[in-house]
Amino acid sequence: MGRVVMYRRIWQGTLLLVGLLCLFAGCGYGAGGRETTLAALQTKTLALTVYWRRASSSDPTRMGQASLALGFADVGKWEGDACPIVHASATFGGVVLNERREGGVTHCAINDDPACGQQCGNVEWLGDVTTLLQSLPATVDVVVRERSGEAVVTVRNPAPMATVQVLDLVEGQQVHNGDSFHVQLQPQPPATLEDVQAGFYVTLIEGVGELSLPASPDLAAGIGVWRVDVLPQQLPAGAVTILFSFGTSNMQFDSCPSDFTCSGISGVDFGEFALQYVP
């Protein structure tokens, strides 16, 4: 349940959060700070997040988003005007990401927050990478560049895609609490079955509520076949949607600069299936 909520809510709320921050704190950068180069930063981290989702439940058009955060030892410290500011650009597979923060002091949504304008923030970028993800690249170079040099990270299968075939049911069919059904995963190259199975999960959506359904490989039923158990609790009768997804917080990097630590999260929606739930 926690993983499902994390992936879907981060995806759905990212743009809203950015908008709220701009509304309350004003877009731009913190007042004050010291100009700093990449080379001068200590304990550097790059955190990448990639999502490949349907635009909405009523719109099958897929949207891809990538966000990147450059962290360093000063992030979170109370340094105010001494907080590092880094003027750098970032690209994801050649697609330019828009800069959201260049470091400096943190913004605050609540004006009386004692940390407002005091704690150091990281450097952040965000961009639409739909066109790139449509080609399902096997590897993608993520580049952060500024006047003193650049950092190049290579990530493997940032958004592995697969189709999901429901074997035991037809759309609109009734299911009951305690039922189970089987699905077969068919990865789309360059993703492999191992790639997509490593983060496969199933969600039941009823209205605005979401429930994670138990799912596990059923080796006796065939290659790539998973069993899904319908075990919601206190759910009313009616139409539900089963969402098949991929999510991982262990993105695979082929390369990461020796003076950086790299990490990543990815989330992909494979498809939906409509059913009628009967308690």
Side-chain angles (χ1 to χ4, degrees):
M1 178 65 179
R3 181 174 63 175
V4 173
V5 170
M6 175 182 70
Y7 289 128
R8 291 188 60 78
R9 289 186 180 173
I10 288 176
W11 165 255
Q12 294 167 353
T14 298
L15 294 181
L16 176 61
L17 176 61
V18 170
L20 288 175
L21 289 175
C22 290
L23 176 65
F24 287 106
C27 288
Y29 307 107
R34 69 176 189 274
E35 299 286 331
T36 310
T37 64
L38 278 177
L41 296 173
Q42 302 296 315
T43 317
K44 291 173 284 193
T45 63
L46 282 173
L48 175 66
T49 302
V50 179
Y51 290 107
W52 183 224
R53 305 279 197 198
R54 289 180 56 164
S56 69
S57 59
S58 59
D59 184 354
T61 304
R62 285 188 168 271
M63 298 178 62
Q65 183 185 62
S67 63
L68 183 66
L70 167 65
F72 36 88
D74 298 84
V75 171
K77 291 182 178 180
W78 285 54
E79 294 187 6
D81 289 345
C83 289
I85 290 178
V86 180
H87 298 295
S89 62
T91 57
F92 178 85
V95 178
V96 176
L97 303 181
N98 299 316
E99 188 177 63
R100 292 295 183 184
R101 285 189 55 85
E102 61 179 1
V105 295
T106 55
H107 288 307
C108 302
I110 302 175
N111 290 333
D112 60 357
D113 184 341
C116 188
Q118 298 297 321
Q119 289 185 326
C120 300
N122 54 18
V123 186
E124 300 171 359
W125 300 266
L126 176 70
D128 186 327
V129 294
T130 302
T131 302
L132 178 69
L133 294 185
Q134 285 171 342
S135 65
L136 295 174
T139 60
V140 171
D141 285 342
V142 180
V143 182
V144 175
R145 181 179 291 114
E146 46 89 76
R147 67 182 187 275
S148 72
E150 64 180 23
V152 181
V153 175
T154 301
V155 58
R156 177 165 295 278
N157 286 333
M161 185 63 189
T163 57
V164 181
Q165 181 183 1
V166 179
L167 303 179
D168 309 326
L169 303 171
V170 296
E171 283 212 271
Q173 183 174 334
Q174 287 188 352
V175 292
H176 300 77
N177 189 20
D179 285 352
S180 64
F181 62 93
H182 288 84
V183 300
Q184 186 160 33
L185 301 180
Q186 298 172 321
Q188 295 184 11
T192 66
L193 183 59
E194 290 73 17
D195 291 332
V196 297
Q197 287 193 144
F200 181 62
Y201 65 95
V202 183
T203 312
L204 184 149
I205 302 174
E206 185 275 326
V208 297
E210 299 180 359
L211 293 169
S212 180
L213 297 184
S216 58
D218 190 341
L219 300 179
I223 297 175
V225 176
W226 282 52
R227 170 178 165 157
V228 181
D229 296 319
V230 183
L231 296 174
Q233 297 178 0
Q234 299 179 339
L235 187 69
V240 297
T241 300
I242 307 297
L243 178 64
F244 305 108
S245 305
F246 169 89
T248 182
S249 58
N250 188 28
M251 192 177 283
Q252 300 300 307
F253 292 89
D254 283 355
S255 67
C256 179
S258 59
D259 55 341
F260 280 79
T261 299
C262 297
S263 64
I265 295 173
S266 63
V268 183
D269 282 348
F270 290 159
E272 298 179 354
F273 197 81
L275 293 170
Q276 289 290 325
Y277 174 72
V278 179

